[in-house]
Amino acid sequence: MILFRILVAALLTTLLIYTGLLLADRGFDGIETFFSDIFAMNWQGQFNLDFFGFLILGTAWMLWRNNFKPWALAISPLFLFGGIPVITTYLLILSVQPMANMNRILLGPSRAR
């Protein structure tokens, strides 16, 4: 579990630093750029569409893991548009819960029994 936490924390830290530097240099136009690249039908757009598929799957997993409870539905837009910062924070929180193990993290407490 320690290696998992280190990996997740490293991803979170790296992306937060990168995002901070990008925001300082270029401001916030990420969402517009993200979707305009997809509609431009170029390789950056292909990568963005592929990545958006991962965000959709990650959001679907979080919703399923939490049995589509109202609070999970409420935070699902954060997962869909928040990317690594949101997903890694969520995974770090899950990993420090009592009795945390990969079965409980991936399946949720009700399915891990």
Side-chain angles (χ1 to χ4, degrees), residues 26-64:
R26 298 188 183 184
F28 187 78
D29 65 347
I31 293 175
E32 179 185 334
T33 302
F34 182 85
F35 287 108
S36 66
D37 283 343
I38 291 173
F39 294 123
M41 296 291 294
N42 57 34
W43 283 112
Q44 182 61 47
Q46 188 277 340
F47 179 84
N48 290 357
L49 188 59
D50 186 300
F51 174 66
F52 196 54
F54 277 106
L55 291 174
I56 291 168
L57 287 174
T59 303
W61 162 76
M62 183 278 298
L63 287 167
W64 171 84

Side-chain angles (χ1 to χ4, degrees), residues 11-29:
L11 287 169
L12 176 59
T13 302
T14 302
L15 195 65
L16 287 177
I17 291 169
Y18 189 94
T19 302
L21 293 170
L22 190 60
L23 283 170
D25 185 53
R26 298 188 183 184
F28 187 78
D29 65 347

